[in-house]
Amino acid sequence: MSETPGQASDVKTPRGGTSRGAELVSERGRTTISPIVVAKIAGMAAREVNGVHAMGAGMSRALGVVRDRLTGSHGVTQGVTVEVGERQAAIDLEVIVEYGVSIPDLAAGIRRNVISAVEGMCGLEVTEVNITVDDLHLPDEESAEHEERRVV
């Protein structure tokens, strides 16, 4: 049995997948959306929600800091993984939550914002947004972070 485009073997990811991306076909032509575009939109939309302190697990955040210093860019896709088919996208997010924020309410807000942004900008149906809360940012951690960065 051969698979048709859009089935499991045709799924794209921003890292290491095929470069074809999502295709939107009309009678006047085809629009191809790269998976990295979907990942950037999802990352920006998640970060816009109040209560999200940062994105990504510990190791990916550490690598992101090094990458940011070397390239001068900010890792918008840090903590974001997407699977993109021809008409649908599935998104996985890793977030660090501010202390005191209701995690179920925050997750619902992140899902709403990400789905709205991706569907509105890309025209893809978002089938799921899976959220992993990797850490909790405590208020007193901020002063410790600033002290570690200070050069003596």
Side-chain angles (χ1 to χ4, degrees), residues 147-152:
E147 287 177 17
E148 289 176 17
R149 292 182 194 160
R150 203 170 89 190
V151 178
V152 182

Side-chain angles (χ1 to χ4, degrees), residues 10-152:
D10 207 29
V11 170
K12 288 79 171 168
T13 59
R15 300 176 201 101
T18 63
S19 62
R20 199 176 96 201
E23 293 183 356
L24 303 174
V25 180
S26 72
E27 49 190 60
R28 294 194 173 217
R30 177 182 309 175
T31 302
T32 302
I33 302 171
S34 172
I36 194 70
V37 171
V38 176
K40 285 182 177 184
I41 293 168
M44 291 296 294
R47 284 174 174 79
E48 290 175 352
V49 179
N50 288 332
V52 174
H53 175 74
M55 301 280 295
M59 182 53 91
S60 69
R61 284 183 34 220
L63 292 174
V65 168
V66 171
R67 182 193 61 239
D68 292 350
R69 286 185 181 166
L70 291 174
T71 64
S73 67
H74 300 289
V76 177
T77 60
Q78 183 176 308
V80 181
T81 305
V82 301
E83 293 180 358
V84 180
E86 288 187 13
R87 294 179 189 91
Q88 296 178 327
I91 301 164
D92 295 328
L93 303 170
E94 297 175 346
V95 300
I96 297 171
V97 176
E98 293 285 349
Y99 175 77
V101 174
S102 166
I103 293 173
D105 292 344
L106 178 64
I110 291 170
R111 279 190 185 92
R112 262 192 316 274
N113 214 36
V114 168
I115 290 169
S116 175
V118 171
E119 289 183 349
M121 292 181 73
C122 297
L124 295 168
E125 174 192 2
V126 177
T127 58
E128 61 185 22
V129 176
N130 299 310
I131 300 168
T132 301
V133 177
D134 283 321
D135 202 355
L136 186 67
H137 180 261
L138 302 173
D140 60 339
E141 288 178 343
E142 201 163 297
S143 62
E145 288 175 7
H146 290 299
E147 287 177 17
E148 289 176 17
R149 292 182 194 160
R150 203 170 89 190
V151 178
V152 182

